[in-house]
Amino acid sequence: MDNQRDNQSISPTETAIKARVDAILGRMSLEEKIGQLTQLGAMAFMPGPKPEDVIRKGGAGSVLWLTDRKQFNVLQKVAVEESPSGIPLLFALDVIHGYHTIFPVPLAMASSWDPSVAERAQTVAAREARAAGIHWSFGPMLDIARDARWGRIVEGAGEDPFLGAAMAVAQVRGFQGDVLGAPDRVLASAKHFAGYGASDGGRDYDPVYLSESQLRNTYFPPFEAAVKAGVGTIMSAYMDLNDVPAGANRFLLRDVLRGEWGFNGFVVSDAFAVGNLVIQGFARDGRDAALRALSAGLDMDMASNTYGQHLAGLVEDGSLDVAEIDAAVRPILSIKVRMGLFEQPYTDESMLEQVIALPAHRQEARLAAQRSMVLLRNEGGLLPLSKQLSNVAVIGPLADSMEATEGSWMIFDHKPAAVTVLAGIRARLSAAAVSYAPGPEIKRDIPSMFDDFVPPADRKPDQSPADAEAAYQTALDTARHADLVIMVLGESANMAGEFASRASLDLPGRQEELLKAVVALGKPVVLVLLNGRPLSINWAAENVPAILEAWEPGTEGGHAVADILFGDVNPGGKLPVSFPRKGAHSPIYYARNITHQPETSPMYRSRYWDGLPTPLYPFGFGLSYTTFSFTNLKVSAAQVKVGAAITVSIDVTNTGAIAGDEVAQLYIHQKSGSDSRPMRELKGFERLTLQPGETKTVTFKLGPAELRHWSTNAGKWLQDAAAFDLWVGADCLASLQTEFEVVS
Ligand code: GLC
């Protein structure tokens, strides 16, 4: 058994790892090799033999969805001490934005435009998850999303590949550390490879049709960045990509991922996805599914046991060669060696309590939430509010909701413990000064599949129309008796995330009706949004003087909202995704090609005749309590040769009276070339903190990596000799412009 302490010390060299893996492999039966390719779903409801019985036979290499922490060492002991080769298990779970201490959802962290926020968040998440016994997180989610109807937009970094790639690298580093194997880090999984965010109509799991140039110029960059950053695993997506399911897509898994990017980790399917190849009308039966998925480069079968049922037969009848099985097993064993699981397979069960008690974790969560929030409106400088306010009403169905504050993708059986917005405001003003009314409840029209996991005894009955009306009137009356009203509206936690697409982007339920009635009272109103996707808050954008996009801000969300509303923190977040005026306008994004009737032409009315097609709020937008100027935009040369680089510099000044953060954003447009190129593309950003009156000079480099594109016409990457416009400013509509030319 390999865990009998090989006397060799583990040399950090690849050679030593490879030799060790080959030695382990050489002692394994075919059944055990296939076991390593099988990830067992450990949900109580799942049919089939007990996990320990499968593990004892060497029938599983990994276990997912296990949340009973006492079970980790129990099952690991079976694997290490009772299975034929004693190969330790990898325990996996979706730790998307926190394990015990919950951070803002990834879309919120992307709104910080500060990769260190994401890195520090995932560092804390990894420390807590590993202390709980988790080795492997199914994160970061890297799907570019340009359709807010798609519920999983909440899990990613929004619409832009450049910002998405920066957030990808930061999260991989946060989860895994610099080199895989530290005892307080976890294996990461860049998911869902690839194109999932472009599902037809924003409908979760629906087919995706993307051209090769869309894939390579827009959807691949965050994944390539994650691979270059050393991500240990990739999770393939569920859906058909151009009629070939991503989990059996040789172009994705062999040609691009391994052939071009040199990925040397392993690929895991999404849940049950190998077996689902039959349902999707791609595979004839389970045997066909197993053969085509493995041949396409899918190494581990998550929870469907299709590999466990069919791979041995495929080898025996000669359809598969055992060398192909070995090739899939090697990266799995190599990662287990790198993670030190053979030396230290067990978890110290006393660790978690020590780790989650660290005050730094909640401080990090509060900082992340502060930096993730986006000030969308502040007419008349209503914000920041005075701390002397003595009669404030906090109103809305999410104001005191721990679930909505922590958001989607919680760990199964996680008990929400967030500081709600109401609690945060009461902690700042004193409870006597703050009245509260939830107003009518909000709920999905169609329940989420996640609701099925809620024990029937814990399910709340629907609010009756009479109770809803009474709640409406009570909320209005509460507002009537206050001097100022803070409305906390948006979506509940299960309205975004998986199985959470929607056709409308309006505020659910009677929230807008209540908002209008409160505003009609004529008092100052502040709107705080808790939501996992852009919302079409058209009326609020015109009629509510102050709007703070707080997203789903996590355990410390209420404190962070209060920090910003009362001026202890000056908001500096920027939108990582355009806000459509209607759901039907999706997909909408700033990096579009120019049409023959450009947006500046009077014929621009050629778009919808029933309303403006422009976003309600553009990509990169966000206000501050102070003001900034961008001046002195310069390029190091008016011309640059193909393959060389120029430097762009800009002065950013805080022209207001208080310190604040600004995000300098650099956009380019290639004016002609082998292909039409988007009217603007983000190619640089930097978040700065500036004292009143302070000026900082920011510099960006534009080289081949930023100026090349995948050419549809040429069918390859190329850099054109062409003229470019460039802009630097505070969002994608930046007006300060200059130009340069690339010459051959
Ligand atoms: C889900 C999701 C995926 C998740 C996996 C395991 O269906 O698509 O993101 O990691 O199953 O929970």
Side-chain angles (χ1 to χ4, degrees):
M1 286 194 189
D2 192 74
N3 60 318
Q4 286 166 347
R5 301 291 171 270
D6 294 347
N7 26 16
Q8 68 180 19
S9 65
I10 295 300
S11 143
T13 65
E14 290 306 307
T15 315
I17 292 170
K18 186 182 176 314
R20 188 163 181 200
V21 165
D22 286 344
I24 298 167
L25 205 57
R27 292 199 285 267
M28 291 169 70
S29 67
L30 176 62
E31 284 64 31
E32 285 182 276
K33 293 175 182 179
I34 294 168
Q36 288 301 305
L37 308 182
T38 299
Q39 183 176 56
L40 217 49
M43 300 284 260
F45 69 85
M46 294 187 68
K50 287 195 294 191
E52 53 270 28
D53 296 340
V54 175
I55 293 164
R56 187 169 292 110
K57 291 197 298 246
S62 173
V63 174
L64 84 151
W65 297 326
L66 186 61
T67 52
D68 174 359
R69 294 205 310 277
K70 293 181 192 51
Q71 279 300 302
F72 288 117
N73 285 336
V74 168
L75 294 180
Q76 191 68 293
K77 194 166 180 332
V78 171
V80 169
E81 300 188 10
E82 298 178 37
S83 76
S85 294
I87 297 168
L89 297 163
L90 276 169
F91 291 108
L93 201 62
D94 294 284
V95 184
I96 307 300
H97 55 111
Y99 179 78
H100 173 82
T101 307
I102 305 303
F103 283 80
V105 289
L107 188 64
M109 289 199 274
S111 302
S112 73
W113 289 57
D114 177 357
S116 75
V117 162
E119 180 169 350
R120 291 158 48 169
Q122 303 305 19
T123 296
V124 170
R127 190 179 299 135
E128 292 185 353
R130 192 68 187 268
I134 302 293
H135 302 122
W136 178 15
S137 170
F138 293 140
M141 187 274 217
L142 304 182
D143 300 308
I144 293 293
R146 299 177 157 184
D147 190 332
R149 295 171 296 180
W150 187 55
R152 303 197 74 167
I153 193 169
V154 66
E155 300 172 48
E159 69 181 69
D160 184 79
F162 190 88
L163 178 61
M167 289 298 165
V169 172
Q171 292 187 78
V172 169
R173 292 176 52 81
F175 279 125
Q176 296 190 167
D178 293 334
V179 177
L180 210 49
D184 63 348
R185 302 281 184 170
V186 296
L187 178 63
S189 191
K191 70 183 185 184
H192 307 81
F193 192 53
Y196 186 10
S199 297
D200 274 357
R203 293 180 296 275
D204 208 357
Y205 307 145
D206 259 29
V208 168
Y209 293 92
L210 289 169
S211 66
E212 185 160 5
S213 63
Q214 283 174 305
L215 283 168
R216 290 182 179 279
N217 290 317
T218 302
Y219 290 84
F220 282 173
F223 287 96
E224 184 175 7
V227 168
K228 297 289 184 270
V231 71
T233 71
I234 292 279
M235 182 187 297
S236 54
Y238 280 122
M239 81 293 140
D240 284 5
L241 172 62
N242 302 328
D243 296 335
V244 180
N249 195 307
R250 181 178 289 272
F251 165 70
L252 288 177
L253 305 182
R254 293 221 181 275
D255 301 349
V256 174
L257 187 58
R258 290 165 169 118
E260 294 178 28
W261 299 348
F263 174 64
N264 61 7
F266 68 87
V267 178
V268 64
S269 75
D270 205 333
F272 310 106
V274 177
N276 290 347
L277 294 176
V278 180
I279 299 172
Q280 280 168 249
F282 179 77
R284 189 175 49 254
D285 53 27
R287 180 187 179 284
D288 188 37
L291 174 61
R292 295 164 77 183
L294 191 92
S295 305
L298 182 69
D299 301 308
M300 187 181 279
D301 169 8
M302 181 191 292
S304 85
N305 197 32
T306 309
Y307 280 6
Q309 290 165 356
H310 298 287
L311 286 186
L314 288 161
V315 171
E316 274 143 32
D317 71 17
S319 305
L320 273 177
D321 188 292
V322 72
E324 296 174 86
I325 304 288
D326 289 353
V329 176
R330 276 202 179 86
I332 296 168
L333 294 178
S334 168
I335 277 177
K336 292 183 176 183
V337 168
R338 291 169 198 275
M339 290 186 72
L341 293 185
F342 285 92
E343 286 68 38
Q344 182 44 56
Y346 301 110
T347 296
D348 171 351
E349 295 183 1
S350 69
M351 276 299 282
L352 184 61
E353 296 318 315
Q354 301 166 41
V355 163
I356 59 176
L358 293 170
H361 288 193
R362 292 197 68 142
Q363 286 156 11
E364 286 285 6
R366 185 166 181 167
L367 176 68
Q370 291 166 354
R371 292 181 73 75
S372 300
M373 294 181 187
V374 183
L375 182 60
L376 296 178
R377 199 171 195 236
N378 191 21
E379 284 304 296
L382 176 59
L383 296 178
L385 301 174
S386 160
K387 293 173 187 161
Q388 313 316 316
L389 284 170
S390 60
N391 182 8
V392 171
V394 176
I395 289 174
L398 307 176
D400 203 32
S401 165
M402 291 185 178
E403 290 78 7
T405 308
E406 292 194 342
S408 66
W409 273 113
M410 286 300 98
I411 304 301
F412 295 131
D413 87 5
H414 170 81
K415 300 282 175 288
V419 175
T420 63
V421 174
L422 175 66
I425 292 167
R426 279 183 162 157
R428 192 57 49 85
L429 283 183
S430 89
V434 180
S435 56
Y436 161 62
E441 292 173 3
I442 57 174
K443 66 187 263 299
R444 291 172 44 133
D445 301 325
I446 297 171
S448 162
M449 209 183 89
F450 283 131
D451 295 341
D452 300 349
F453 293 115
V454 178
D458 296 350
R459 292 180 194 173
K460 272 180 62 181
D462 289 349
Q463 186 177 45
S464 71
D467 288 350
E469 179 55 28
Y472 182 93
Q473 295 306 334
T474 302
L476 199 48
D477 198 45
T478 304
R480 199 171 281 119
H481 290 88
D483 299 337
L484 178 141
V485 183
I486 299 172
M487 300 290 291
V488 186
L489 308 174
E491 292 181 320
S492 54
N494 69 0
M495 290 181 175
E498 193 170 3
F499 342 108
S501 292
R502 55 186 294 217
S504 159
L505 299 175
D506 296 340
L507 287 166
R510 297 178 62 183
Q511 295 183 96
E512 183 156 291
E513 178 192 350
L514 179 58
L515 176 63
K516 288 178 175 175
V518 167
V519 169
L521 297 173
K523 305 162 187 289
V525 177
V526 175
L527 171 59
V528 175
L529 288 172
L530 296 186
N531 48 306
R533 57 156 52 85
L535 294 175
S536 302
I537 51 166
N538 302 290
W539 187 86
E542 297 294 324
N543 297 282
V544 179
I547 303 175
L548 178 67
E549 176 53 85
W551 301 115
E552 294 170 342
T555 304
E556 284 291 311
H559 283 148
V561 167
D563 293 337
I564 288 175
L565 293 187
F566 293 97
D568 295 324
V569 170
N570 185 356
K574 302 279 185 176
L575 295 178
V577 65
S578 309
F579 269 49
R581 296 174 190 275
K582 289 182 180 176
H585 290 178
S586 300
I588 185 171
Y589 49 97
Y590 81 92
R592 302 185 310 281
N593 289 10
I594 301 176
T595 70
H596 72 289
Q597 293 294 3
E599 314 211 343
T600 51
S601 87
M603 278 306 287
Y604 185 63
R605 291 167 297 162
S606 63
R607 278 24 175 228
Y608 309 117
W609 59 259
D610 59 351
L612 282 173
T614 50
L616 182 60
Y617 297 107
F619 176 81
F621 175 78
L623 300 175
S624 168
Y625 293 152
T626 184
T627 52
F628 299 94
S629 71
F630 288 82
T631 55
N632 202 14
L633 174 60
K634 286 191 285 194
V635 287
S636 55
Q639 287 193 338
V640 61
K641 279 199 171 298
V642 170
I646 58 165
T647 303
V648 180
S649 64
I650 183 86
D651 290 345
V652 187
T653 303
N654 180 343
T655 51
I658 62 169
D661 283 17
E662 178 57 291
V663 179
Q665 302 163 39
L666 165 65
Y667 296 89
I668 66 170
H669 170 231
Q670 179 176 320
K671 299 169 78 169
S672 66
S674 308
D675 312 79
S676 302
R677 301 297 302 136
M679 64 178 84
R680 295 204 181 188
E681 289 178 276
L682 179 72
K683 293 295 181 184
F685 66 88
E686 185 174 332
R687 180 166 175 162
L688 313 162
T689 298
L690 294 169
Q691 297 307 314
E694 182 183 10
T695 296
K696 279 184 184 167
T697 299
V698 181
T699 57
F700 300 104
K701 180 179 82 67
L702 286 178
E706 291 77 27
L707 300 175
R708 71 173 193 163
H709 71 277
W710 174 270
S711 167
T712 300
N713 247 331
K716 63 180 183 179
W717 287 102
L718 56 75
Q719 186 189 351
D720 282 319
F724 284 78
D725 282 323
L726 75 81
W727 299 263
V728 179
D731 60 44
C732 69
L733 303 180
S735 56
L736 186 56
Q737 180 265 354
T738 187
E739 56 203 15
F740 66 96
E741 187 175 9
V742 176
V743 296
S744 45

